[in-house]
């Protein structure tokens, strides 16, 4: 077993290497990364999770960081690039403070520092965000609400995708995603709509390569990525049968005695069983058959003669989803599984492919995402799914806050379980749940942490505050003077704002462009998502600093709970006895 010592320099080098990959892709002005292989295969992307998952990470610390990044991105939508930038800045800040002291930090010292930083995320960070940053965001958005033209949802989606796709793709993608949300929602419960889209996004979108992004659209109905084997024009309500096995499957069920018969009798009996099954379909007045497997040619011929549409090789998970949303009627005799009522059945042409489209009475819609190349298409799909993960995290955080406020003031009659879109996004805006994108959260948190008077650990707060500025500094890396001018002007206006915050009529206009133009409407980002980013980074830093050594072993690693039975113990004892009883040979 080989042992490898871990030092602070190793952590800085490993995280710094990952940071170099994603740094150039941050923000609207960021670029993309081109991956190539010896086989000639190439991939162009600027999506953080996609970049890291494509790398072949050998170092155990790098893989541990990747696990932390993926766990955070799964909960909040993304934040991969900001995660690595902030983590690298914290490690370099610890290294610089160590160099200034000219001393040696031992492993217990690292662990103590990691515990202190984790305590900051639980106390100081929570207090600052709840009692200072959120009220400030509420006043800021209320004061500027007359400039937030259009939907708050549009600004949130625009802020999320602006730094994750190209400038030309951002406007198209924002329009399509907003349209998709509103068509699925239809003025229903906004929280449930977001959760529904996020949970079933794989069934509610179709990716099409070979078309420009501007061809992305929202189609009514559920698109199935396979064409009809037998197609018949049908009108009115349609009765569809969902099957998961072949009509020509073996007629011998489990548990029956199998008798050997000649081929002619077998074929005759098999044909008779199939005719009975198909006759049952006519008795049920089935118009469409949706099958997850390839059916025999005899079934296709029967469908053509009886004017029944047949769709084969459909993903079984997609059929389960269709059964769920249509409240399917389950049949007892196999292989007839479920009966559903459809509004219509169509054929749609998407690029060079022809697909089936199933209309439901719940007015389901499908998000069609297009891109000219597979790499760009994968990036757009990941960003689109990340949008709804971000919206879900934001809406759940708001509902938890609303529930907490209602428990403290029972007189409130608004319930978080029946929030419309207008109530949800308007409530989030006035509750201080959003801020303009581009570094405003980092500047505010930096300012409040440095001026936190009730802090039990001012040194750790200062370390975190200085590291936070790495994000806006990287956003304006192409013009460092602009970053300094924005920081100075923002802090000056912030001090003037705090002096007059009691008199809202005398509040100064807080000028905050952040790369989107002084006169343009700023896009928004989630405060709860940014707070979770800081907490996740500090938790990952805690894991890194608490590692004292790396042991390389060839035995399989067991991460789950280990249960030892008596049989396992007896086997181990037998192996030990055999090894001890083996005579040694001497030369």
């Amino acid at each position: 077993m080989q042992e490898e010592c871990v030092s602070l320099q190793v952590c800085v080098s490993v995280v710094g290497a990952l940071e170099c990959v994603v740094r150039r892709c941050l923000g609207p002005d960021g670029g993309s990364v081109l991956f190539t292989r010896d086989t000639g295969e190439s991939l162009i992307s600027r999506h953080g999770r996609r970049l890291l998952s494509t790398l072949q990470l050998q170092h155990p610390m790098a893989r541990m960081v990747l696990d932390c990044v993926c766990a955070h991105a799964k909960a909040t939508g993304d934040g991969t690039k900001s995660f690595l930038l902030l983590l690298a800045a914290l490690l370099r800040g610890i290294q610089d403070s160590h160099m200034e002291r000219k001393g040696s930090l031992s492993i217990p010292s690292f662990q103590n520092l990691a515990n202190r930083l984790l305590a900051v995320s639980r106390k100081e960070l929570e207090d600052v965000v709840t009692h200072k940053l959120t009220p400030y965001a509420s006043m800021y958005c209320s004061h500027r609400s007359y400039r937030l033209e259009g939907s708050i949802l549009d600004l949130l989606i625009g802020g999320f995708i602006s730094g994750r796709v190209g400038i030309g793709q951002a406007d198209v993608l924002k329009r399509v995603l907003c349209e998709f949300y509103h068509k699925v929602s239809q003025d229903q419960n906004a929280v449930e709509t977001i959760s529904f889209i996020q949970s079933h996004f794989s069934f509610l979108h179709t990716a099409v390569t070979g078309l420009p992004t501007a061809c992305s659209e929202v189609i009514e109905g559920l698109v199935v990525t396979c064409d009809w084997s037998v197609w018949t024009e049908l009108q009115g309500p349609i009765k569809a049968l969902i099957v998961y096995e072949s009509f020509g499957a073996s007629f011998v069920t489990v548990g029956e005695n199998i008798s050997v018969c000649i081929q002619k009798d077998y074929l005759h009996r098999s044909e008779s069983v199939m005719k009975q099954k198909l006759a049952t379909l006519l008795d049920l007045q089935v118009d469409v058959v949706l099958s997850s497997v390839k059916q025999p040619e005899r079934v296709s011929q029967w469908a053509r003669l009886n004017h029944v549409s047949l769709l084969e090789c459909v993903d079984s998970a997609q059929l389960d989803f269709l059964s769920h949303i249509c409240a399917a009627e389950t049949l007892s005799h196999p292989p007839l599984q479920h009966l559903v009522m459809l509004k219509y059945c169509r054929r749609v042409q998407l690029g060079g492919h022809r697909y089936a489209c199933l209309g439901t009475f719940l007015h389901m819609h499908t998000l069609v995402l297009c891109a000219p190349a597979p790499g760009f298409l994968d990036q757009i799909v990941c960003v689109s799914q990340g949008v709804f993960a971000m919206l879900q995290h934001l809406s759940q955080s708001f509902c938890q806050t609303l529930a907490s406020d209602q428990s403290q003031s029972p007189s409130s009659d608004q319930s978080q379980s029946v929030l419309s879109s207008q109530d949800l996004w308007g409530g989030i805006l006035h509750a201080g749940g959003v801020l303009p994108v581009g570094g405003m959260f980092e500047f505010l948190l930096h300012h409040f942490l440095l001026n936190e008077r009730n802090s039990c650990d001012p040194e750790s707060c200062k370390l975190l505050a200085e590291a936070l500025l790495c994000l806006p500094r990287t956003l304006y890396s192409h013009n460092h003077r602009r970053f300094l001018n924005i920081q100075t002007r923002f802090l000056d206006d912030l001090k003037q704002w705090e002096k007059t915050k009691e008199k809202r009529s005398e509040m100064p206009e807080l000028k905050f462009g952040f790369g989107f133009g002084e006169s343009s409407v700023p896009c928004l980002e989630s405060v709860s998502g940014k707070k979770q980013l800081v907490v996740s980074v500090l938790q990952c830093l805690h894991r890194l600093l608490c590692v004292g050594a790396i042991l390389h072993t060839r035995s399989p690693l067991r991460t789950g709970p280990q249960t030892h039975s008596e049989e396992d113990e007896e086997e181990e004892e037998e192996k030990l006895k055999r090894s001890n009883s083996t005579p040694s040979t001497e030369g």
Side-chain angles (χ1 to χ4, degrees), residues 299-347:
V299 177
S300 301
Q301 295 176 359
W302 172 89
R304 293 187 187 95
L305 292 175
N306 293 276
H307 305 287
V308 175
S309 297
L310 175 62
L311 187 63
E312 301 173 301
C313 301
V314 185
D315 183 19
S316 58
Q318 194 168 16
L319 291 178
D320 292 339
F321 173 69
L322 181 64
S323 302
H324 173 70
I325 64 175
C326 293
E329 176 187 354
T330 304
L331 302 177
S332 58
H333 44 286
L336 311 182
Q337 296 290 334
H338 303 292
L339 276 177
V340 297
M341 295 301 298
L342 300 177
K343 189 176 181 180
Y344 58 82
C345 293
R346 297 174 183 169
R347 271 178 165 173

Side-chain angles (χ1 to χ4, degrees), residues 292-491:
S292 63
V293 297
K294 179 69 175 177
Q295 296 293 340
E297 182 62 26
R298 178 73 175 82
V299 177
S300 301
Q301 295 176 359
W302 172 89
R304 293 187 187 95
L305 292 175
N306 293 276
H307 305 287
V308 175
S309 297
L310 175 62
L311 187 63
E312 301 173 301
C313 301
V314 185
D315 183 19
S316 58
Q318 194 168 16
L319 291 178
D320 292 339
F321 173 69
L322 181 64
S323 302
H324 173 70
I325 64 175
C326 293
E329 176 187 354
T330 304
L331 302 177
S332 58
H333 44 286
L336 311 182
Q337 296 290 334
H338 303 292
L339 276 177
V340 297
M341 295 301 298
L342 300 177
K343 189 176 181 180
Y344 58 82
C345 293
R346 297 174 183 169
R347 271 178 165 173
V348 293
Q349 188 76 27
L350 299 177
H353 303 277
R354 190 163 57 185
Y355 297 138
C357 183
L358 308 177
T360 65
F361 289 95
L362 295 178
H363 304 287
M364 288 287 100
H365 290 76
T366 299
L367 176 65
V368 179
L369 299 173
C370 304
F376 287 119
L377 183 60
D378 178 72
Q379 174 178 288
I380 289 177
V381 171
C382 292
V383 171
S384 301
Q385 188 171 11
V387 164
F388 294 103
M390 178 271 297
L391 294 177
Q392 184 182 34
H393 183 268
L394 176 60
S395 60
Q396 289 177 350
S397 301
F398 174 71
C399 289
Q400 291 175 0
T401 304
L402 192 60
S404 177
D405 295 341
Q406 289 178 357
S407 63
Q408 297 177 2
S409 56
S411 59
S412 177
D413 57 352
Q414 185 181 15
S415 175
Q416 72 272 14
S417 60
V418 290
L419 290 175
S420 64
S421 294
Q422 185 176 2
D423 294 336
L424 176 63
W425 307 122
I428 289 175
L429 178 69
H430 294 292
V434 292
L435 277 173
V437 300
M440 189 173 187
F441 176 87
E442 288 78 14
F443 278 138
L444 286 173
L445 190 55
H446 168 83
H447 173 76
F448 291 138
L449 284 176
L450 289 181
N451 295 275
E452 177 65 21
R453 298 178 180 178
N454 299 325
S455 174
C456 300
D457 191 357
E459 181 182 356
S460 299
C461 288
K462 181 180 178 181
L463 181 64
L464 176 59
E466 296 298 334
L468 285 168
L469 293 183
C470 72
L471 297 177
R473 188 179 289 114
T474 305
L475 282 174
Y476 303 104
S477 57
H478 59 283
N479 191 345
H480 189 64
R481 179 175 294 182
R482 176 172 173 79
F483 163 75
L484 297 176
N485 292 336
I486 289 177
Q487 182 185 14
T488 304
R489 185 184 64 187
F490 176 74
L491 293 178

Side-chain angles (χ1 to χ4, degrees), residues 77-290:
D78 197 7
T80 301
K81 292 172 278 191
S82 301
F83 189 105
L84 291 174
L85 289 172
L86 182 56
L87 180 60
L90 282 169
L91 289 171
R92 282 193 293 267
I94 296 173
Q95 188 180 41
D96 293 341
S97 63
H98 165 57
M99 296 295 293
E100 291 177 359
R101 296 176 181 176
K102 298 180 181 180
S104 60
L105 285 176
S106 59
I107 293 179
S109 301
F110 280 130
Q111 295 177 350
N112 181 36
L113 178 59
N115 293 331
R116 287 163 49 196
L117 287 169
L118 198 59
V120 168
S121 68
R122 295 169 179 168
K123 185 180 183 300
E124 282 83 356
L125 179 63
E126 183 70 28
D127 293 342
V128 166
V129 172
T130 303
H131 300 107
K132 293 185 178 181
L133 198 147
T134 301
Y136 178 89
S138 177
M139 288 190 298
Y140 175 84
C141 293
S142 300
H143 187 60
R144 287 181 59 97
S145 59
Y146 66 95
R147 291 200 176 187
L148 297 178
E149 303 172 356
S151 172
I152 304 301
L153 179 66
D154 296 354
L155 301 178
L156 278 169
I157 294 178
F160 184 88
I161 67 179
S162 60
R164 293 170 173 84
V165 297
I167 298 177
Q169 301 170 337
D171 294 336
V172 175
L173 195 57
K174 181 180 73 171
R175 173 185 58 80
V176 173
L177 291 176
C178 291
E179 178 186 357
F180 176 65
Y181 168 80
H182 289 300
K183 286 188 175 181
V184 174
S185 176
Q186 295 187 349
D187 299 328
Q188 300 299 319
N189 190 333
V191 179
E192 291 183 357
T193 299
I194 296 172
S195 179
F196 175 79
I197 295 176
Q198 170 61 16
S199 302
H200 305 96
F201 186 80
S202 59
F203 307 125
L204 297 175
H205 89 279
T206 299
V208 180
T209 185
L211 293 178
T213 308
C215 294
S216 300
E217 58 179 336
V218 180
I219 296 180
E220 184 180 1
L222 293 178
V223 176
V224 182
T225 55
C226 54
D227 194 14
W228 296 93
S229 302
V230 178
W231 169 245
T232 302
E233 291 285 349
L234 300 171
Q235 300 293 334
I238 299 171
K239 183 179 290 188
L241 178 71
I242 298 177
V243 296
Y244 296 91
E245 59 184 81
S246 174
F247 286 102
S250 175
F251 51 83
V252 179
T253 59
V254 178
E256 291 185 356
N257 295 325
I258 302 176
S259 59
V260 180
C261 58
I262 62 175
Q263 183 179 6
K264 183 177 179 180
D265 293 340
Y266 175 84
L267 294 176
H268 177 73
R269 185 177 178 185
S270 177
E271 187 74 15
S272 175
V273 171
M274 183 183 297
K275 287 181 179 181
Q276 293 177 4
K277 295 177 180 179
L278 296 178
T280 307
L281 267 64
L282 295 178
D283 295 339
L284 294 172
Q285 298 180 350
V286 171
D287 302 310
V288 175
V289 176
L290 307 175

